[in-house]
Amino acid sequence: MSHKGLDYETLNENVKKVQYAVRGELYLRASELQKEGKKIIFTNVGNPHALGQKPLTFPRQVVALCQAPFLLDDPNVGLVFPADAIARAKHYLSLTSGGLGAYSDSRGLPGIRKEVAEFIGRRDGYPSDPELIFLTDGASKGVMQILNTIIRGERDGILVPVPQYPLYSAAISLFGGSLVPYYLEETANWGLDVNNLHSSVAAARSKGITVRAMVIINPGNPTGQCLSEANLKEILHFCYQENLVLLGDEVYQQNIYQDERPFISARKVLMDMGPPISKELQLVSFHTVSKGYWGECGQRGGYFEMTNIPPQTVDEIYKVASISLSPNVPGQIFLGVMVNPPTPGDISYLQFMRESKGILESLKRRAQIMTDGFNSCRNVVCNFTEGAMYSFPQIRLPPKAIEAAKKAGKVADVFYCLKLLEATGISTVPGSGFGQKEGVFHLRTTILPAEEDMPAIMESFKKFNDEFMEQYEDHRGYSRM
């Protein structure tokens, strides 16, 4: 019998190549255990509200009124909603062509794109053009849209940091391109050495790959480092010399837990550098409502901004965006409130600041608890989480554990993470899902569990880890890879 179009054997090979560790084997096993009644702590994905983070009040009030505009006609609306939320809901409804149930322009509502441009202008000190800003269903959709535009075939390469967020490896596989890795230096707090970039490009070219673009994730996922201004200048010079598009994944820009390296956008550094580079280097920057102190992952609001992209290319990107008709409109409203939050003097300002500051300060404390907890464990070393919302400890697995993993048909860190899950209910992602140097093993966990639960979680991890090491170590000792 001949195969049908959706039989596995006949599927697009690029679809079969896609690997996405964040929702991979560990997540599936955790879901099974949860169905069996085991308590699971899902630290595998940066999903703040699923781990108990409360939504910010003001944006929810605004979107609630936009979703149910008949409430605005109720004479008692002012008893339930503050006047600034009511005014903002009326403002956003006036930007739509028929409320939240109507399609918007495929690039997003012009009024909200204008608010995004004003936010970027305030942040960077340089004006931004709303016509070069596209609103998307979360940053991931924007990243996929741009990669799809750049990648022409398997000989097109994209430079991606390793460890990397698996969106990039998955999307590059899906679009039939080649991932060109550049390694971050764990011993230098996951810093970026430009010499590694030159080596990666040379190695790719020797295989006949044309490197077309470079990805930076700042602050880093899964590594949590923040790029310095000097580092960003080096990266921009490198991309300029090599004629690469720079893709700036800046979704964690609100998540900063130290003062030495504040977030600075690639766009600001580029503009500060002046002509000719500021007029010529092609840059696409991404942001979202899913991260920061918002954590509105399920709302799917995001944007990308294009710098020095030719008008004809912008038109092609618009054409492809039009196939999906419209980014979701409630997500656009959330984005509008994120880039244009309450300001001093507004009724909701003090509450908004109290809530957002409380979340960020708690995340900073949790990052420290987790780093200290990992570093107190046998054969575990962990850099402090400078930004984003993850810890990425190195697990120095004994040779006997690596051998046991092989016998079980598992990658060594997958073996460790599965044992951790079965013993403690803590669901993590093995470092192999993000890429790592040969013979070195990690896991990624979010810093998102409730602060009051964090000491017990770290105690549970320590107990498991130390028992695991006791079981598999031969006590002769060995050096760190």
Side-chain angles (χ1 to χ4, degrees), residues 59-269:
R60 287 296 184 100
Q61 289 171 327
V62 173
V63 175
L65 289 166
C66 289
Q67 288 279 24
F70 51 82
L71 293 175
L72 293 166
D73 301 326
D74 190 305
N76 295 319
V77 67
L79 300 176
V80 181
F81 293 91
D84 52 356
I86 293 169
R88 189 69 75 87
K90 287 178 177 173
H91 160 69
Y92 286 128
L93 287 169
S94 75
L95 300 180
T96 70
S97 58
L100 270 56
Y103 288 133
S104 74
D105 184 285
S106 301
R107 296 165 295 184
L109 293 163
I112 293 179
R113 286 190 283 128
K114 182 170 177 283
E115 288 184 326
V116 173
E118 287 164 355
F119 156 76
I120 293 168
R122 288 192 304 272
R123 184 194 67 190
D124 295 345
Y126 297 95
S128 170
D129 182 355
E131 294 300 303
L132 299 175
I133 292 164
F134 282 40
L135 309 188
T136 53
D137 293 338
S140 301
K141 273 285 171 72
V143 167
M144 292 181 76
Q145 209 170 324
I146 296 300
L147 287 173
N148 194 22
T149 306
I150 293 171
I151 294 168
R152 301 165 300 183
E154 63 185 15
R155 297 230 169 246
D156 280 350
I158 310 292
L159 266 174
V160 176
V162 174
Q164 55 99 27
Y165 176 48
L167 162 68
Y168 292 95
S169 50
I172 292 164
S173 290
L174 185 61
F175 300 134
S178 294
L179 186 146
V180 179
Y182 65 91
Y183 287 91
L184 303 176
E185 291 301 325
E186 186 168 11
T187 51
N189 213 25
W190 297 113
L192 190 159
D193 183 342
V194 173
N195 292 325
N196 287 350
L197 297 178
H198 287 290
S199 306
S200 294
V201 169
R205 285 179 179 155
S206 72
K207 296 174 191 163
I209 291 169
T210 303
V211 183
R212 303 255 295 155
M214 174 179 172
V215 173
I216 55 170
I217 307 174
N218 181 37
N221 174 11
T223 48
Q225 87 292 358
C226 298
L227 292 173
S228 66
E229 185 174 357
N231 223 178
L232 283 164
K233 276 185 181 167
E234 287 182 312
I235 292 162
L236 289 160
H237 268 305
F238 172 79
C239 289
Y240 188 57
Q241 287 167 349
E242 299 292 343
N243 220 15
L244 306 180
V245 184
L246 182 61
L247 306 183
D249 180 335
E250 298 174 337
V251 300
Y252 295 101
Q253 60 189 262
Q254 293 175 338
N255 297 99
I256 306 294
Y257 311 124
Q258 39 71 46
D259 302 320
E260 291 151 45
R261 274 189 294 281
F263 170 76
I264 179 165
S265 74
R267 181 181 178 274
K268 174 172 171 49
V269 177

Side-chain angles (χ1 to χ4, degrees), residues 23-52:
R23 292 283 173 93
E25 181 182 0
L26 262 291
Y27 172 76
L28 296 173
R29 179 63 186 140
S31 301
E32 278 174 19
L33 289 171
Q34 189 180 44
K35 281 178 194 163
E36 291 166 16
K38 188 173 179 73
K39 187 189 173 194
I40 303 296
I41 303 156
F42 284 100
T43 71
N44 60 301
V45 63
N47 192 10
H49 292 196
L51 286 162

Side-chain angles (χ1 to χ4, degrees), residues 53-61 292-294 296 342 348-363 366:
Q53 182 175 308
K54 297 285 185 286
L56 299 171
T57 304
F58 181 74
R60 287 296 184 100
Q61 289 171 327
Y293 42 81
W294 285 65
E296 293 280 7
S348 299
Y349 175 73
L350 289 176
Q351 182 182 11
F352 180 83
M353 290 306 294
R354 187 171 64 249
E355 290 173 352
S356 51
K357 196 175 171 193
I359 291 166
L360 275 183
E361 286 176 351
S362 174
L363 283 169
R366 283 179 265 174

